[in-house]
Amino acid sequence: MTTTRVLVTGGAGFIGSAYVRALLGPSGPPGVAVTVLDKLTYAGNPANLDEVRHMDRFAFVRGDICDAELVDGLVAVHDHVVHFAAESHVDRSILGADTFVRTNVLGTQTLLDAALRHAPKTFVHISSDEVYGSIRAGSWPETDPLRPNSPYSASKAASDLIALSYHRTHGLDVRVTRCSNTYGPHQYPEKVVPLFITRLLDGEPVPLYGDGHNVRDWIHVDDHVRAIELVRSRGRPGEVYNIGAGHELSNRQLTGLLLRACGAGWGMVSYVEDRKGHDWRYSVDFTKIRTELGFAPRKDPATGLAETVDWYRTHRSWWEPLPRRTERGQKANSTKVPP
Ligand code: NAD
């Protein structure tokens, strides 16, 4: 059997590592070998790859996607590129956008230039629903214009457009996915779900932004990576695929589910000053990936979040050494939210 060689950038992070574990796991496609290229920033964790580290079909390279020589050598010997590597936390992009522009924009262009020289079969660019902006009602189809608001989402939108330009200009087989908010095990405890869970498990209060009414669609990481693999294996060149779950929750509803799963009450919640420029609602229309590729999300949030709480409860050694103090955590005040 011929081996399909897949280069996964950012494969030590939350979603990238779930994708690698799925590709090399018992339900993964046969004959796949994976190389992870990851800089191991604060968000990259080698422990996320412990399950696959011993496999002959797995290799790890520590390096920067902006390193053109390194990237060129790696893209040259792989059949597919699945590009997750990014600075991914909106709050950090508000404090400073330079690494976001460097990694998300220049890093993506560096990879695309290497792909142009070596013509891998597919280049899957992992993007986000945040590139569309904010929507009061209805859902964005893939054809909607991009109106990103935060430095993070603007850097992702820039990289999406550059990736698609390499298809339109050069004919490179580029496919873009734009997925909604993702949760599950192995997520660095700075984003809301793992931050709240780890704080509650330690008996600490959780900081809720503003009035808690911002709405997000929540998808389990296993559903997200299954959709990505459908796009890599069966999607079409030059196409964008929205990925969603249809599980919209306000931050207040999400907090309620997490409190219940952790056995805590509303007395553990503190209101904090809202995020600057906080997008009110995200909602992707994911009809295209459903009808074209047969994607259907499998996890409902109540079950998925309860399982995620269980994972953090039983994997303290994974998260306890990681710093959890964030700008959001530091600003927490003692105002209690009524039940
Ligand atoms: P993450 O922050 O957990 O992981 C990012 C990984 O990229 C880390 O392992 C980090 O070390 C690596 N990395 C960062 N800069 C690098 C560089 N210059 N060179 C090489 N590696 C580098 O992020 P995540 O949540 O797993 O997100 C993965 C991708 O999915 C991102 O592109 C993100 O925009 C996108 N996305 C995330 C979500 C979400 O809810 N988390 C939703 C939709 C899309």
Side-chain angles (χ1 to χ4, degrees):
M1 182 194 300
T2 52
T3 301
T4 303
R5 297 158 307 171
V6 184
L7 178 64
V8 179
T9 73
F14 166 47
I15 307 169
S17 69
Y19 180 68
V20 171
R21 293 191 303 273
L23 267 193
L24 295 176
S27 311
V32 166
V34 172
T35 305
V36 165
L37 169 61
D38 198 296
K39 189 178 176 182
L40 296 182
T41 67
Y42 77 95
N45 189 338
N48 291 345
L49 297 165
D50 281 352
E51 268 175 43
V52 296
R53 189 175 310 288
H54 62 282
M55 292 181 165
D56 301 339
R57 299 185 289 134
F58 173 76
F60 181 83
V61 176
R62 183 171 189 178
D64 191 332
I65 57 167
C66 299
D67 179 342
E69 200 180 325
L70 174 69
V71 162
D72 189 79
L74 286 170
V75 173
V77 295
H78 288 84
D79 306 304
H80 302 261
V81 178
V82 186
H83 173 37
F84 293 88
E87 286 295 332
S88 69
H89 190 40
V90 176
D91 287 344
R92 286 179 189 258
S93 80
I94 294 167
L95 295 174
D98 52 348
T99 54
F100 286 76
V101 174
R102 184 182 175 277
T103 289
N104 300 0
V105 184
L106 292 178
T108 299
Q109 177 236 316
T110 305
L111 282 159
L112 287 162
D113 279 342
L116 213 49
R117 287 188 289 274
H118 301 293
K121 291 190 178 108
T122 61
F123 185 110
V124 184
H125 176 68
I126 308 304
S127 187
S128 159
D129 61 356
E130 300 196 25
V131 297
Y132 293 113
S134 184
I135 190 166
R136 291 308 288 189
S139 305
W140 300 289
E142 288 83 352
T143 47
D144 259 28
L146 308 189
R147 295 193 183 90
N149 293 316
S150 71
Y152 162 71
S153 55
S155 69
K156 293 298 290 186
S159 60
D160 274 32
L161 295 177
I162 290 169
L164 289 167
S165 80
Y166 275 59
H167 171 72
R168 290 176 193 139
T169 305
H170 302 292
L172 197 68
D173 182 336
V174 171
R175 306 164 188 198
V176 173
T177 64
R178 294 184 185 143
C179 187
S180 55
N181 277 43
T182 308
Y183 70 92
H186 298 268
Q187 187 172 27
Y188 187 88
E190 64 181 352
K191 292 180 184 133
V192 60
V193 169
L195 179 72
F196 277 27
I197 293 173
T198 52
R199 288 182 77 104
L200 289 170
L201 291 178
D202 272 353
E204 294 170 4
V206 293
L208 186 61
Y209 274 143
D211 60 11
H213 287 124
N214 302 67
V215 174
R216 302 289 183 262
D217 172 29
W218 289 94
I219 185 168
H220 191 274
V221 67
D222 291 348
D223 285 329
H224 187 167
V225 302
R226 204 158 28 78
I228 290 169
E229 181 53 10
L230 282 172
V231 171
R232 184 194 70 83
S233 57
R234 295 186 14 220
R236 287 182 293 133
E239 293 295 321
V240 176
Y241 293 89
N242 285 342
I243 302 169
H247 297 312
E248 287 190 22
L249 296 173
S250 69
N251 281 348
R252 219 175 129 69
Q253 289 171 316
L254 174 74
T255 302
L257 289 174
L258 291 173
L259 288 170
R260 193 177 322 142
C262 292
W266 281 96
M268 293 303 286
V269 177
S270 299
Y271 274 136
V272 296
E273 192 185 314
D274 205 355
R275 170 190 282 168
K276 277 192 198 171
H278 204 174
D279 287 334
W280 188 73
R281 177 173 171 264
Y282 301 144
S283 179
V284 286
D285 177 343
F286 59 105
T287 308
K288 180 172 170 181
I289 194 167
R290 271 199 307 221
T291 52
E292 205 177 289
L293 303 180
F295 171 70
R298 292 179 185 159
K299 280 256 155 87
D300 69 89
T303 311
L305 288 168
E307 286 174 8
T308 304
V309 169
D310 275 347
W311 187 86
Y312 281 91
R313 191 178 272 130
T314 53
H315 290 79
R316 276 185 169 269
S317 60
W318 183 91
W319 57 269
E320 273 181 341
L322 304 173
R324 273 175 297 142
R325 281 176 70 84
T326 63
E327 183 69 3
R328 173 198 281 221
Q330 284 158 2
K331 279 188 180 162
N333 61 35
S334 58
T335 314
K336 302 291 190 220
V337 177

